[in-house]
Amino acid sequence: MIEVQNAAKSYGRLHALKEISWKVEPGEFWGVIGPNGSGKSTLLSLISGIEAPDHGEISLSGQPIASYNRKALSRKLAVLQQDGLPPVSFTVREVIEMGRFPFLDWRGREKDGHAEKLMQSIMDRLELGDLADRQLSSLSGGQRQRAALGKVMAQQPEVVLLDEPTTYLDIRYQQQFMELVAGWQREEGLTVISVMHDLNLASLYCDRLLVLNAGSLVAMGAPSEILNSDTMESVFDVKSHIVAHPDTGVPQLLLQKDAKNGWSEAGD
Amino acid sequence: MRTRLAGYGFIGLGLLIFSLLICIGFGSVHLPAGEIARILLHQLPGLGRWIQPDWSVASEQIVMQVRLPRVLLGLLVGASLAVAGSAFQGVLRNPLADPFTLGVSSGSAVGAAVLIFFGWQFSLLGIFTLPVVAFLTGAATLWIVMWLARENGKIPIESLILSGVVMQSFLGAVVSFLTAMSKRTINEILYWTMGSLSLRGWSYTAILLPYLLLGGLYLWSRSRSLNLLALGERQAAHSGLNVESTKLAVLLVATLMTAAAVSVSGVIGFVGLVVPHMIRLVTGPDYRLIIPLSALGGGIFMMWSDLAARSLLAPTEIPLGVITAFIGAPFFAYLLYRKKKAREREMR
């Protein structure tokens, strides 16, 4: 589905991403993890086509990302940003309809008119029915993020990129959000790439993890192969215990409390 | 959306026609609205034979040759400036943007004033010379203003306005200097720096109309893109919008409409600021409604402003820009105040 070949990106003298190669198969749910400044967001913005790599190539369905025009790309690939949607005075319904933008002809009509049913199914799935006519500026962070997900769903993409989608949500909305994405992914056979800060959430919901550190690819594989005390120490510089989740057996992370080690050379 | 547009549009058109009849009626000779309506309807092809001309020739002369061209020109100028203002606000995502505060109006005025000072207004491109040159100088001004205001690839709201004000006072001084050198009356200077619609015949209306129609339709066709831009440039790009080319095209068309308006009426400020905000209060943030309704609202606003300009101190005329500034500048202050309040709320 997505193939990254020797892609590198620098900003001035900062090498944000150094020669990364990576392949994503259709229907996979990938989590991208790594410390702050490791190049996660850069990788995502290269795949989203907003920025071009300095060298190397990124292709989507066998074609270079750069060869798609913006509308064609948006019909295949959707992005949910970390900060979601700004508090504008458009209503939830209006914003979700904006997700249809790449499917409209020059007069603003749907090319094939099944949008009404699609809108309804999105509203139902995300339980946005009661909020449909509320302005975005009057919603809580969790509700606004759900509306943002609705807009992404209206794009009917094959690939979804999520950039730390749960950062500003409380724990209830974090779980709700990940469940919604996972359900959508299962039903539509979607490919998901999500930058994750919360490693336990990543382990619960992602099939595979990609670990970045200082712009380089450190490891990739299933959570059970990746999440262990050694990786935690070498990549994140934390001492931890790994336990198996009682339900599914996926690894979950417990931090060790150690005041002395806590601040030792913990680079950002 | 369609039904709302039809509803608002119907009310707007009604107000527009009402304003037109009132504004034509006022003047040294008062004409009743009913008579004006019949004179105007009589002019329409096909309707003429149903209406018996029972008015004096003088009335018809006043309406058709003096008042109607002026009122219609006001309508077109107001509509152009208001549509340009709403487009600037949308694409720059800056609620304080308008052709006047961005310095585009003054930039266009400089181009036009130079041409007229040297008597070149019909050289090169005939009747298109004035609008085209005004467009070029207006676009150059906009480019300089945006370049001055840019910080790290972003354009902060206040510094854009500050750069606009700096350019505007400099270019305003250039225009005043040119008009002072031309040894004409003080009225000429006032005309260019504060705007006026007096003594403009039908030809000016004809020059402006195509710019308003084509420019307005183009900007209206981009209104979905402006809606997307309201969510942020990155968000808009992710949703399939080609952000850079859209911004460039919208800025250029809005500048062209401003230039065309300025080259027939001089610099009239704040219309593009006040009107779209008023419309927004009624309709909400959707540019599919804001752009066409701003055209109607701008026309109405300008007709009443011009009526005030020519009748408050009659027979002396107040420059039109004075009237719009009396309304617009306090409104600008109010917007600043509201922004400050919103920011303070966020800090808490």
Side-chain angles (χ1 to χ4, degrees), chain A residues 7 38 41 71 79 94 103 111 134 139 153 156 166 187:
Chain A
S38 59
S41 294
K71 269 197 177 180
V79 183
E94 285 170 331
F103 297 89
K111 279 167 184 160
R134 289 264 300 275
L139 301 185
M153 283 181 170
Q156 295 188 296
T166 58
E187 275 174 43

Side-chain angles (χ1 to χ4, degrees), chain A residues 45 50 70-71 74 79 81 84 90 101-102 104 108 151 155, chain B residues 224-225 227-228 230-231 234-235 237-241 285-286:
Chain A
S45 81
I50 290 287
R70 278 246 65 96
K71 269 197 177 180
S74 307
V79 183
Q81 288 163 249
F90 283 107
F101 183 79
L104 302 179
K151 174 168 170 290
Q155 250 171 281
Chain B
R224 271 175 203 279
S225 309
N227 285 348
L228 265 181
L231 303 181
R234 223 188 153 100
Q235 184 78 242
H238 288 321
S239 312
L241 183 70
D286 193 336

